[in-house]
Amino acid sequence: MDFLSDFLTLFLAKLQSPTLGFLIGGMVVAAVNSRLQIPDAIYKFIVFMLLIKVGLSGGIAIRNADLAKMLLPAVFAVVVGILIVFIGRYTLAKLPKVKTVDAIATAGLFGAVSGSTLAAALTILETEGIEYEAWAAALYPFMDIPALVTAIVLASIYTSKQRDTADEYLSKQEYSSKQAIIARGYPSKQHERVKIWPIVKESLQGSALSALLLGLALGLLTRPESVYESFFNPLFRGLLSILMLVMGMEATARISELRRVGQWYALYAFVAPLLHGFIAFGFGMIAHYTTGFSLGGVVILAVIAASSSDISGPPTLRAGIPSANPSAYIGASTAVGTPVALALGIPLYIGLAQALMGG
Amino acid sequence: MDFLSDFLTLFLAKLQSPTLGFLIGGMVVAAVNSRLQIPDAIYKFIVFMLLIKVGLSGGIAIRNADLAKMLLPAVFAVVVGILIVFIGRYTLAKLPKVKTVDAIATAGLFGAVSGSTLAAALTILETEGIEYEAWAAALYPFMDIPALVTAIVLASIYTSKQRDTADEYLSKQEYSSKQAIIARGYPSKQHERVKIWPIVKESLQGSALSALLLGLALGLLTRPESVYESFFNPLFRGLLSILMLVMGMEATARISELRRVGQWYALYAFVAPLLHGFIAFGFGMIAHYTTGFSLGGVVILAVIAASSSDISGPPTLRAGIPSANPSAYIGASTAVGTPVALALGIPLYIGLAQALMGG
Amino acid sequence: MDFLSDFLTLFLAKLQSPTLGFLIGGMVVAAVNSRLQIPDAIYKFIVFMLLIKVGLSGGIAIRNADLAKMLLPAVFAVVVGILIVFIGRYTLAKLPKVKTVDAIATAGLFGAVSGSTLAAALTILETEGIEYEAWAAALYPFMDIPALVTAIVLASIYTSKQRDTADEYLSKQEYSSKQAIIARGYPSKQHERVKIWPIVKESLQGSALSALLLGLALGLLTRPESVYESFFNPLFRGLLSILMLVMGMEATARISELRRVGQWYALYAFVAPLLHGFIAFGFGMIAHYTTGFSLGGVVILAVIAASSSDISGPPTLRAGIPSANPSAYIGASTAVGTPVALALGIPLYIGLAQALMGG
């Protein structure tokens, strides 16, 4: 039961991390009816600061990477990032009583990448003496950002269809006496099909993805290192802790929503990291046999897929899918997903790589 | 007149400190009718940032302290912190024309602890070769936070009683013709008694004490050091300077209120630090004879009691007792209280300890 | 064509600087109709933070300078700073279709000082072994702040006169049938004359100049170094990048205003730095012959005059002349003025000084 004790140790340490500490702090503050509040203007600015930092660090990492060599793994990272969200959309979201937007947001968070899980994997790879490409860690934004964008777009499509169905339902009632139902049927269906691109565009114009993509573009095309190192990066963890406090304050009000579905989130959060890691490991092996991508790099790709973001994800999803319940996605990720990826995922993929190397 | 020149030098240096400089700057800005303003959302967030930092540093200090050994001095620190506020409540607040809430806030500030006065005392103790327990400096939150909480609760009780009396007075007038006065007399008295706990609860739920206690709990129960060192602590002095500016802008409008009572504040601010220090010295000696608390530790306890906060106090009191006049409590503390504690208090308690050691 | 390639290299590097990068980023964000926004409270606070920092650094520089020796050069710096704004007021502002407030703001920015241009000049002077007074760099606030104040006051006077003329025009129409025109003529003229001081006072009471002058006073009279070094200075570049983003978002809407006058701004931005530099060089030579001001110091004075601020200027002008188009003044300064001052101005003044030394 070495794994279980490792898992519990990590779980307890996670509970004491500032990120989760402030989240729980916010929940307690709301539970005791405190009048503590973070002004809305501050909250919006904090989200902006966090997202532009996530974008900038991704953009800088991509700009400094060897794009020609990393092309195939990067494409695979994008594919896996999008795939993870679709897997969640058609598994977790279909479970009984699970709310679709909550499930999509959770899948988005599991598609996004945890920098600290990645750092842990890099440390272990170095300890084990397994070689990997210097640019392999720069694969993370190729999975992180597409996963978050996909989740926000899928949620918008879903919400928009719901609204349409509601409109149609209302229309049906209004017009039922006038036999207008059949006449409306076809245009509505077509409307639904042509509507996807406007929704994608609208999602990208939203404040969350705009800030993320603006940061990405600035990181790629300009030299924002001075301002990144002196301002956006040092303030990141502190601002994140305040965002967590706000999200905790909201979570208290919405935690009861999860009472009947908690077991599904726990199940998903346990299985998903391992599954995502194996899918990415498979893609990585294709790159290994075709372009000579190192086995260490394959492990990194798998760990990136197995990890779930407790950093870039929450602010993006909070602003991009405001109707989703933060207790669902943050709870699933930090309480179960991350410990599973760290204590179970990393040793599995490294063991697999070592077995393949020995072979 | 070596003391007087020391005192004046310290007084002038204090006037140039950023804290007081921004306060005076704010007063001048308001006096010349400038349209400069700090948006309310920013002001509220600054107060939150300051209070959570004060709580965090207190919580971290307590967590890292040796609680078993420091139990008795810590209990004494709490007792002295509460006692100081009650002393102010029944001396300064009773002086002619002194407003009760201003006096309670001032007593709260004199009960709270100045980190810089404490640091000065530690330096001198080391120079003089007087030994003290490593955890002795961690006694400060045990006095600081109870004093501020007591002041806010006492002010709430007072304000609430005032409102009641006003209500009663109005009621008397309304009902006088109906002989309802006697009938209302008893319930009102009882009402007053049972009301104290709700007021304590309401004070603790206010944004000021919530932020302070949240920080304390996070500092005690989680490991927020990374975010404390990288975010809350480095931003503290800067944000405090902006708060001082805002308080200065308000002070201009209210300084005339103090014209007729300034001498009482000056008297209190001169006597109180020395008196508080001697009370704490006495309690410290009890711990010295019963549990072997070092004489250096006794000096530290006395200095903590003698010091008045120019850091943790102003934001807490500003948010917790909004009706109190900041010109009263900050003026009394920074202009008189702190120089007295530094130039007169520290040498006195160290001399006393050395005399006791020699004996 | 060595100069041209230098110029283009500098121009391209400038486009990648965080300052201009965020400005262009903001323009793109607005052009694609993103819903990204910086809350107004945050924007106002950022402007405050930037201006108080500019004032503080100026005040600290002046306090640490040798005022007796630098008196004449400092007076000349003030004179040149004011003169530059008046030159722009009576050249650029008089060109066809150029809006007067835009021209005054641009002249204010060219009168203000670029810290990086100044730093480049100091480095080259040291490389060339040209001696200069240690306090010479501290001349910059003497030109920077008067230029910005003059620009804001001139713009207020102009706007106020416009409003008057409009009022008068409306009055004429109203009263034309009553032959009230002649009767109003004289009082209106007199009104215009006595109105200038109230406008200067009103400008100084505005939030922009209040923050700037407050910072200057605190820098001069108190010791804010600790809070300056730990808070205002480190946050400066980051907050400026966010201001640039906001200004870029606004610029998109207003860039079309410049279509017909862009050539005038380009012409002004090319000629003005060199002209301003020569004027300051002339004043510097007077100080050289009368008080022995070093030739290196004369070069520094010329470079200060030639440089146009991309740091202190934009926030001050944005808040002080809100009706001016930021695309005009920032575009002219960063895209043309600064490269001209760096690539053409500095070598010219150093060459001139060396020729005079050799003679």
Side-chain angles (χ1 to χ4, degrees):
Chain A
M1 286 286 83
D2 201 36
F3 155 70
L4 195 66
S5 81
D6 274 15
F7 181 87
L8 285 175
T9 309
L10 276 164
F11 180 77
L12 283 173
K14 269 277 154 194
L15 281 180
Q16 288 197 316
S17 78
T19 309
L20 211 55
F22 276 84
L23 185 79
I24 296 170
M27 294 171 75
V28 172
V29 161
V32 299
N33 291 316
S34 159
R35 293 188 298 282
L36 182 66
Q37 274 189 320
I38 303 294
D40 191 56
I42 300 292
Y43 166 73
K44 281 187 180 143
F45 181 62
I46 288 176
V47 171
F48 163 79
M49 287 285 292
L50 297 175
L51 294 182
I52 206 150
K53 185 267 171 185
V54 171
L56 282 172
S57 71
I60 293 171
I62 294 173
R63 171 159 50 82
N64 293 330
D66 187 342
L67 276 178
K69 279 189 189 165
M70 75 190 289
L71 185 65
L72 193 65
V75 169
F76 286 163
V78 174
V79 169
V80 172
I82 295 171
L83 198 60
I84 288 173
V85 182
F86 275 92
I87 292 173
R89 175 74 185 84
Y90 292 104
T91 59
L92 179 60
K94 300 294 183 192
L95 289 170
K97 286 173 188 154
V98 170
K99 286 194 183 162
T100 307
V101 284
D102 293 358
I104 294 173
T106 306
L109 208 65
F110 277 75
V113 177
S114 156
S116 51
T117 307
L118 176 56
L122 296 179
T123 312
I124 298 170
L125 282 174
E126 265 154 43
T127 315
E128 301 275 324
I130 303 173
E131 286 185 12
Y132 58 89
E133 289 81 1
W135 45 259
L139 289 170
Y140 90 87
F142 290 97
M143 194 180 298
D144 197 64
I145 292 169
L148 293 170
V149 171
T150 306
I152 292 172
V153 171
L154 282 191
S156 294
I157 292 171
Y158 171 78
T159 314
S160 178
K161 276 185 188 168
Q162 286 299 99
R163 219 179 296 124
D164 253 42
T165 315
D167 285 356
E168 211 176 312
Y169 178 73
L170 285 172
S171 304
K172 275 180 189 171
Q173 289 194 308
E174 273 175 38
Y175 291 95
S176 58
S177 61
K178 296 175 187 166
Q179 288 178 315
I181 306 160
I182 301 147
R184 280 181 53 87
Y186 179 68
S188 168
K189 256 269 159 70
Q190 202 185 38
H191 182 50
E192 196 173 276
R193 260 182 218 153
V194 298
K195 229 168 32 192
I196 288 171
W197 272 111
I199 290 171
V200 174
K201 201 185 143 209
E202 174 128 343
S203 301
L204 296 176
Q205 286 173 336
S207 58
L209 290 185
S210 287
L212 198 65
L213 297 175
L214 171 66
L216 192 69
L218 287 171
L220 265 174
L221 304 174
T222 71
R223 310 248 166 239
E225 276 84 350
S226 63
V227 80
Y228 175 80
E229 293 301 339
S230 71
F231 186 70
F232 293 102
N233 198 30
L235 291 176
F236 187 76
R237 291 207 159 256
L239 293 175
L240 185 68
S241 69
I242 295 171
L243 181 76
M244 285 294 146
L245 189 68
V246 177
M247 292 176 89
M249 281 151 79
E250 282 178 8
T252 299
R254 303 192 58 180
I255 199 125
S256 61
E257 290 178 13
L258 299 177
R259 211 160 285 166
R260 276 182 280 175
V261 294
Q263 76 282 10
W264 298 130
Y265 281 98
L267 180 68
Y268 173 81
F270 195 93
V271 174
L274 304 176
L275 176 68
H276 299 160
F278 280 118
I279 292 171
F281 201 98
F283 275 105
M285 289 309 292
I286 299 175
H288 177 65
Y289 288 122
T290 54
T291 65
F293 187 42
S294 73
L295 279 169
V298 173
V299 171
I300 288 170
L301 190 66
V303 170
I304 286 173
S307 81
S308 57
S309 169
D310 47 3
I311 301 282
S312 64
T316 315
L317 295 168
R318 184 65 196 75
I321 315 181
S323 59
N325 188 339
S327 319
Y329 52 84
I330 299 180
S333 166
T334 41
V336 183
T338 298
V340 166
L342 279 169
L344 210 52
I346 294 177
L348 259 174
Y349 311 129
I350 287 181
L352 208 57
Q354 283 172 326
L356 285 163
M357 273 187 272
Chain B
M1 287 285 83
D2 201 36
F3 155 70
L4 195 67
S5 81
D6 273 16
F7 183 85
L8 285 174
T9 310
L10 277 164
F11 181 77
L12 284 173
K14 269 277 154 190
L15 281 180
Q16 288 197 317
S17 79
T19 309
L20 211 56
F22 276 83
L23 185 79
I24 296 169
M27 293 170 75
V28 172
V29 160
V32 300
N33 291 317
S34 160
R35 292 189 298 282
L36 182 66
Q37 274 189 320
I38 303 295
D40 191 56
I42 300 293
Y43 166 73
K44 282 187 179 141
F45 181 62
I46 287 176
V47 171
F48 164 79
M49 287 285 292
L50 296 175
L51 294 182
I52 205 151
K53 185 266 172 187
V54 171
L56 281 172
S57 70
I60 294 171
I62 294 173
R63 171 159 50 80
N64 293 330
D66 189 341
L67 276 178
K69 280 191 191 166
M70 74 192 288
L71 185 65
L72 193 65
V75 169
F76 285 162
V78 174
V79 169
V80 172
I82 295 171
L83 197 60
I84 287 172
V85 183
F86 275 93
I87 292 172
R89 176 73 184 84
Y90 292 104
T91 58
L92 180 60
K94 299 295 184 195
L95 289 170
K97 284 173 189 156
V98 169
K99 286 195 183 161
T100 306
V101 283
D102 294 357
I104 294 173
T106 306
L109 207 65
F110 276 76
V113 178
S114 156
S116 51
T117 307
L118 176 56
L122 296 178
T123 312
I124 298 171
L125 282 173
E126 266 154 41
T127 314
E128 301 275 324
I130 302 174
E131 286 186 11
Y132 58 89
E133 289 80 2
W135 47 258
L139 289 171
Y140 89 87
F142 290 96
M143 194 181 297
D144 197 63
I145 292 170
L148 293 170
V149 171
T150 306
I152 292 173
V153 171
L154 282 192
S156 295
I157 292 170
Y158 173 77
T159 315
S160 178
K161 277 185 186 168
Q162 285 298 99
R163 221 179 293 124
D164 254 41
T165 314
D167 286 357
E168 213 176 310
Y169 178 74
L170 287 172
S171 305
K172 276 180 189 172
Q173 290 194 309
E174 274 175 37
Y175 292 95
S176 58
S177 61
K178 295 173 189 166
Q179 288 177 317
I181 306 160
I182 300 145
R184 278 180 55 85
Y186 180 67
S188 167
K189 257 266 160 76
Q190 201 183 42
H191 183 50
E192 197 173 276
R193 259 182 217 153
V194 298
K195 230 168 32 193
I196 289 172
W197 272 110
I199 291 171
V200 174
K201 202 185 144 209
E202 175 130 342
S203 301
L204 296 176
Q205 285 172 336
S207 57
L209 290 185
S210 287
L212 198 66
L213 296 175
L214 172 66
L216 192 69
L218 287 171
L220 263 174
L221 304 174
T222 71
R223 309 248 165 238
E225 275 84 349
S226 63
V227 80
Y228 175 81
E229 293 300 339
S230 70
F231 186 70
F232 293 102
N233 197 30
L235 291 176
F236 186 76
R237 291 208 158 254
L239 293 174
L240 185 69
S241 68
I242 295 171
L243 181 75
M244 285 294 146
L245 190 67
V246 176
M247 293 176 88
M249 282 152 77
E250 281 179 8
T252 299
R254 303 191 60 182
I255 199 124
S256 60
E257 290 179 14
L258 299 177
R259 211 161 287 165
R260 276 180 282 174
V261 294
Q263 76 281 12
W264 299 129
Y265 281 98
L267 180 68
Y268 174 80
F270 195 92
V271 174
L274 303 176
L275 175 68
H276 300 158
F278 280 119
I279 293 171
F281 201 98
F283 276 104
M285 289 310 291
I286 299 175
H288 176 67
Y289 288 121
T290 54
T291 66
F293 186 42
S294 73
L295 280 169
V298 174
V299 171
I300 289 171
L301 190 65
V303 170
I304 286 174
S307 80
S308 58
S309 170
D310 46 3
I311 301 283
S312 64
T316 314
L317 294 169
R318 182 68 195 72
I321 314 180
S323 60
N325 188 341
S327 318
Y329 52 83
I330 300 180
S333 167
T334 41
V336 183
T338 298
V340 166
L342 279 170
L344 209 52
I346 295 178
L348 259 174
Y349 310 129
I350 288 182
L352 208 55
Q354 283 172 327
L356 286 163
M357 272 187 274
Chain C
M1 287 286 83
D2 201 35
F3 155 69
L4 196 67
S5 80
D6 274 15
F7 182 86
L8 286 174
T9 310
L10 277 164
F11 181 77
L12 284 173
K14 271 276 155 191
L15 282 179
Q16 289 196 318
S17 79
T19 310
L20 212 55
F22 276 83
L23 186 79
I24 296 170
M27 294 170 76
V28 172
V29 160
V32 300
N33 291 317
S34 159
R35 291 188 299 282
L36 182 66
Q37 275 188 320
I38 304 294
D40 191 56
I42 301 293
Y43 165 74
K44 282 188 179 141
F45 182 62
I46 288 177
V47 170
F48 164 78
M49 287 285 291
L50 296 175
L51 294 182
I52 205 150
K53 185 265 171 189
V54 171
L56 281 171
S57 71
I60 293 171
I62 294 173
R63 170 159 51 80
N64 293 330
D66 188 341
L67 276 177
K69 281 191 189 163
M70 73 191 287
L71 184 66
L72 192 65
V75 169
F76 285 162
V78 173
V79 169
V80 172
I82 295 171
L83 197 61
I84 288 173
V85 182
F86 275 93
I87 291 173
R89 176 70 185 86
Y90 292 104
T91 58
L92 180 60
K94 299 295 185 194
L95 289 170
K97 285 171 188 156
V98 170
K99 287 193 182 163
T100 306
V101 283
D102 294 357
I104 294 172
T106 306
L109 208 65
F110 276 75
V113 177
S114 156
S116 51
T117 307
L118 176 56
L122 296 179
T123 313
I124 298 171
L125 282 174
E126 265 153 42
T127 315
E128 301 274 325
I130 302 174
E131 286 185 12
Y132 59 89
E133 288 81 1
W135 46 259
L139 289 171
Y140 89 87
F142 290 96
M143 195 181 296
D144 198 63
I145 291 169
L148 293 170
V149 171
T150 307
I152 292 172
V153 170
L154 282 190
S156 294
I157 292 171
Y158 172 78
T159 314
S160 178
K161 277 186 187 167
Q162 286 298 98
R163 221 179 293 125
D164 254 40
T165 316
D167 285 358
E168 212 178 311
Y169 178 74
L170 286 172
S171 304
K172 276 181 190 171
Q173 289 193 311
E174 274 175 39
Y175 291 95
S176 58
S177 62
K178 295 173 189 167
Q179 288 178 314
I181 306 161
I182 300 148
R184 278 180 56 85
Y186 178 69
S188 167
K189 257 266 159 75
Q190 201 183 41
H191 182 50
E192 197 173 275
R193 259 183 217 150
V194 297
K195 229 169 32 195
I196 289 173
W197 272 110
I199 291 171
V200 173
K201 201 186 144 207
E202 174 129 343
S203 301
L204 296 176
Q205 286 174 336
S207 58
L209 290 185
S210 287
L212 197 65
L213 296 176
L214 172 66
L216 192 68
L218 288 171
L220 264 173
L221 304 174
T222 71
R223 310 247 165 240
E225 275 84 350
S226 63
V227 81
Y228 176 80
E229 293 301 339
S230 71
F231 186 69
F232 293 102
N233 197 30
L235 291 176
F236 187 76
R237 292 207 158 255
L239 293 174
L240 185 68
S241 69
I242 295 171
L243 181 76
M244 285 292 146
L245 190 67
V246 175
M247 293 177 88
M249 282 151 78
E250 281 178 8
T252 299
R254 303 192 59 181
I255 198 126
S256 61
E257 290 178 13
L258 300 177
R259 211 161 286 164
R260 275 180 282 173
V261 294
Q263 75 282 10
W264 299 129
Y265 280 98
L267 180 67
Y268 174 80
F270 195 92
V271 174
L274 304 177
L275 176 67
H276 300 159
F278 280 118
I279 292 171
F281 201 98
F283 276 105
M285 289 309 293
I286 299 175
H288 176 66
Y289 289 121
T290 54
T291 65
F293 188 40
S294 73
L295 279 169
V298 174
V299 170
I300 289 171
L301 190 66
V303 170
I304 285 174
S307 80
S308 57
S309 169
D310 46 2
I311 300 283
S312 63
T316 314
L317 294 169
R318 182 68 195 73
I321 315 181
S323 59
N325 188 341
S327 318
Y329 54 83
I330 300 180
S333 166
T334 41
V336 183
T338 298
V340 165
L342 279 169
L344 209 52
I346 295 177
L348 259 174
Y349 311 128
I350 288 181
L352 207 55
Q354 284 172 326
L356 286 164
M357 273 188 272

